[in-house]
Amino acid sequence: MNADLAAGWAQRLAERLEVLASYRPSDLLMYSPATWWRLVERTNGELWPLPALMLLAGLAGGALLAWRAPDRAAAATPARAGIAALIAALAWAAVAVAFHAQRFTGIHWAAGGFALAFALQALLWLVATRWVQPVSGGGARRGAGLALLGLALVAWPLAGWPAGRPWAQAELFGIAPDPTALAALGALLLLQARGTRARRWVVLLWPLPLAWCAWSALMRWAMDDLLAAPLAAAVLLAPLAAATARRRQPHA
Amino acid sequence: MTTRRRVLGGAAAAAAAAAVAALGPAAAQPLPLPAARRVPSSGEALPCIGLGSWITINVGDDPPALAACAAVMRAFFDGGGRVVDSSPMYGSAQATIGHGLAQLGGRAPVFAADKVWTGAGDRGAAQAETSRRRWGVARFDLLQVHNLLAWEAHLPALFEMKAAGRVRHVGISTSEGRRHAEFERLMRSQPLDFVQLTYNPLDREAEQRLLPLAAERGIAVLVNRPFREGALLRALARHPLPAWAASELGCDGWAQLVLKFIVTHPAVTCAIPATTRVDHVRQNLGAGRGPMPDEPLRRRIAAHIAAL
């Protein structure tokens, strides 16, 4: 009897897995590209001037992380990292509420879940204000982090220009999820835990930005949007850059 | 076959003409009506071209987009269309349909087809009621178990609703060949009025077992993804429409040729292409008019498209 039950469960599981495997990214895309860009445009318009303020905050946070303190200012570096983490927390909270919960939910039944996940990430960043400090040294990790911050804060808003999209449809840090997640990955490459105990908590900041970038890369691919490529590259390269640096500095 | 089609077409023409007339002055000059097929279980004649809602009308509360969708629906009903299909899975599509129907003053002759889509077996009826309110209709003409999700609980509940007069037809749906074996088992064991599946000149698996079974069991068939979510038409657009498609079938584009192939399968009741454009919905409805391919010509269509 138990064997029959197990066989039944196994068969049903196999069928479900077969069905799941049959789905392509385009099967998961619920909206047209035109609807997506209108959503971005309406979000920017309805929240203005918040999008500009969030972008400025993001640029300020990026500058804090990019700036290398002279030795006499070294004591202030944890504070700089904490401010950057606070800006990240604000950005994730803003996207959770203003984008996912209030707007994206109109066209995607999973947006409520996305909002919860982004809110959780905002909380993690808030707590992380006490865990992080700027990464020491330079190298590939720092370079990759700065490149990702540049991509998220500067290149992403400009990406619609070659495609002929209006400026009102620019996706901005702290309002749209993709540049926010990309900037988070960049920030994580420019930050490190304050000590061994904090490291196990800082690592919790990685999964959600990676998962969102991977998901969004799939959706952009389904929309024939070239921005899928940098998202996918970020998912692959950011952890690689972090891992490479960790091997070189095992006690960092 | 020709005689049956002519008879059915005449019955549908009368029904659809009355329906179009009900729309008022905007439909004062009705177009020739699409051919119709009867639902075996109820005898109702339905135009063979319907309107799907996956992706295309999931536009949220954006006023210009809602207005554009309402225009598509008006053109659809003006052209003699009736079957509109949606699902709770399709984001704001149900609310958009409700908006479009309200813009038409509740006079559209819609055949309202929706789905139950929840893994919680005891929530099906409540979800259907939410869907009904979004559409703004008195009751659904068809409720289907979406992708067979929790069908064990939903189908008995839907049959109870049908017995109580709260829905007119009951069905199941799948897409792109998923779970066809289980689909077939349900077609054999359940008193279904409708099934919905994927069928087009490239996706023809349903011809092997499901479509013959539907004909044998007297189950009406809705066909989803006739254009593979537009990918098929985008691929075909790189090639010229064969001259015989225009000369023998009166097609003005690939969409009409694909739809004519689909709706002339003897078991198919209605194809439900989705679109955001008024010109496309008119073109789609045009596939239900004029000469239709016989079986040799259907094979020629499939072979030609497969070879491109």
Side-chain angles (χ1 to χ4, degrees):
Chain A
M1 186 65 179
N2 286 340
D4 289 346
L5 202 62
W9 273 101
Q11 184 185 355
R12 276 193 290 277
L13 180 64
E15 286 175 359
R16 297 293 190 274
L17 291 175
E18 187 182 354
V19 169
L20 278 177
S22 72
Y23 282 93
R24 301 182 301 267
S26 59
D27 295 322
L28 305 175
L29 182 68
M30 294 180 57
Y31 43 83
S32 67
T35 297
W36 171 260
W37 293 117
R38 272 291 293 164
L39 179 70
V40 173
E41 181 177 0
R42 293 181 71 209
T43 303
N44 284 339
E46 288 166 8
L47 295 175
W48 192 260
L50 185 63
L53 295 174
M54 293 305 297
L55 179 60
L56 286 174
L59 289 168
L64 285 173
L65 293 176
W67 178 54
R68 284 179 185 248
D71 286 346
R72 66 177 179 279
T77 53
R80 285 194 289 118
I83 293 170
L86 184 62
I87 291 169
L90 287 173
W92 282 81
V95 175
V97 176
F99 188 82
H100 287 309
Q102 294 183 339
R103 290 172 176 82
F104 196 36
T105 193
I107 60 169
H108 204 301
W109 49 262
F114 297 150
L116 282 175
F118 272 62
L120 176 64
Q121 185 76 4
L123 280 175
L124 286 172
W125 274 112
L126 195 61
V127 179
T129 55
R130 298 172 58 84
W131 299 337
V132 291
Q133 61 186 355
V135 71
S136 56
R141 175 171 181 154
R142 182 174 166 81
L146 291 173
L148 275 174
L149 278 180
L151 173 67
L153 298 169
V154 180
W156 208 264
L158 300 173
W161 179 61
R165 284 197 297 273
W167 292 112
Q169 293 182 355
E171 292 180 71
L172 301 176
F173 170 83
I175 299 294
D178 289 8
T180 306
L182 284 169
L185 292 178
L188 285 169
L189 287 173
L190 294 168
L191 292 169
Q192 62 183 358
R194 284 194 226 170
T196 308
R197 191 173 166 207
R199 190 179 302 156
R200 73 186 62 164
W201 295 103
V202 170
V203 79
L204 293 176
L205 290 165
W206 280 89
L208 193 63
L210 285 172
W212 179 264
C213 287
W215 167 258
S216 195
L218 286 174
M219 295 301 98
R220 302 249 180 200
W221 184 35
M223 291 199 299
D224 291 329
D225 187 339
L226 293 176
L227 292 176
L231 284 165
V235 172
L236 295 173
L237 297 180
L240 193 66
T244 304
R246 191 166 294 133
R247 276 200 298 274
R248 286 179 182 165
Q249 294 179 311
H251 303 295
Chain B
M1 195 66 183
T2 306
T3 304
R4 174 179 170 269
R5 187 174 296 137
R6 191 176 295 139
V7 169
L8 295 183
V20 170
L23 286 172
Q29 300 286 327
L31 294 164
L33 296 166
R37 308 282 185 268
R38 286 201 185 278
V39 178
S41 66
S42 65
E44 181 164 1
L46 295 175
C48 64
I49 304 295
L51 184 64
S53 60
W54 172 239
I55 293 180
T56 51
I57 66 171
N58 178 22
V59 297
D61 59 355
D62 186 20
L66 284 171
C69 292
V72 166
M73 291 179 65
R74 175 178 286 276
F76 175 71
F77 292 120
D78 282 353
R82 287 192 60 204
V83 179
V84 180
D85 178 78
S86 192
S87 168
M89 182 191 167
Y90 299 172
S92 64
Q94 293 173 321
T96 305
I97 292 169
H99 173 82
L101 293 175
Q103 293 294 301
L104 293 168
R107 290 169 294 156
V110 64
F111 184 92
D114 208 282
K115 305 184 187 81
V116 173
W117 176 68
T118 170
D122 58 348
R123 288 204 61 245
Q127 186 183 65
E129 176 57 19
T130 301
S131 300
R132 187 196 66 75
R133 284 199 301 270
R134 288 176 179 158
W135 279 64
V137 295
R139 64 175 174 172
F140 281 118
D141 296 291
L142 167 62
L143 279 174
Q144 305 145 93
V145 180
H146 191 131
N147 285 349
L148 304 186
L149 184 63
W151 66 265
E152 298 90 338
H154 294 321
L155 268 183
L158 292 180
F159 288 133
E160 277 183 28
M161 288 176 67
K162 181 183 173 186
R166 289 188 286 139
V167 62
R168 296 180 57 226
H169 303 88
V170 173
I172 55 176
S173 78
T174 184
S175 60
E176 301 188 75
R178 296 185 185 103
R179 301 177 73 177
H180 272 195
E182 192 169 10
F183 206 77
E184 182 180 341
R185 283 198 295 275
L186 292 182
M187 287 176 70
R188 292 188 185 281
S189 63
Q190 303 292 324
L192 300 171
D193 301 300
F194 274 84
V195 292
Q196 181 179 142
L197 45 77
T198 297
Y199 178 55
N200 60 55
L202 294 183
D203 299 308
R204 300 175 61 190
E205 185 188 340
E207 286 179 350
Q208 301 304 312
R209 301 178 69 89
L210 299 187
L211 289 174
L213 182 59
E216 176 192 325
R217 298 271 298 165
I219 302 173
V221 177
L222 297 184
V223 172
N224 59 35
R225 307 195 185 208
F227 305 139
R228 289 184 160 185
E229 295 181 358
L232 176 57
L233 293 185
R234 287 193 292 276
L236 291 173
R238 294 195 288 268
H239 306 278
L241 186 71
W244 49 264
S247 62
E248 296 182 36
L249 296 170
C251 294
D252 70 356
W254 283 109
Q256 290 195 348
L257 189 65
V258 169
L259 289 173
K260 279 180 185 285
F261 170 86
I262 293 169
V263 301
T264 49
H265 189 288
V268 168
T269 308
C270 179
I272 47 172
T275 179
T276 57
R277 289 172 47 172
V278 167
D279 58 334
H280 285 175
V281 82
R282 287 179 177 146
Q283 191 177 37
N284 292 344
L285 287 166
R289 306 183 187 109
M292 291 292 189
D294 56 13
E295 191 50 37
L297 194 46
R298 291 186 79 250
R299 286 198 293 271
R300 186 178 180 187
I301 294 170
H304 185 86
I305 290 177
L308 292 176

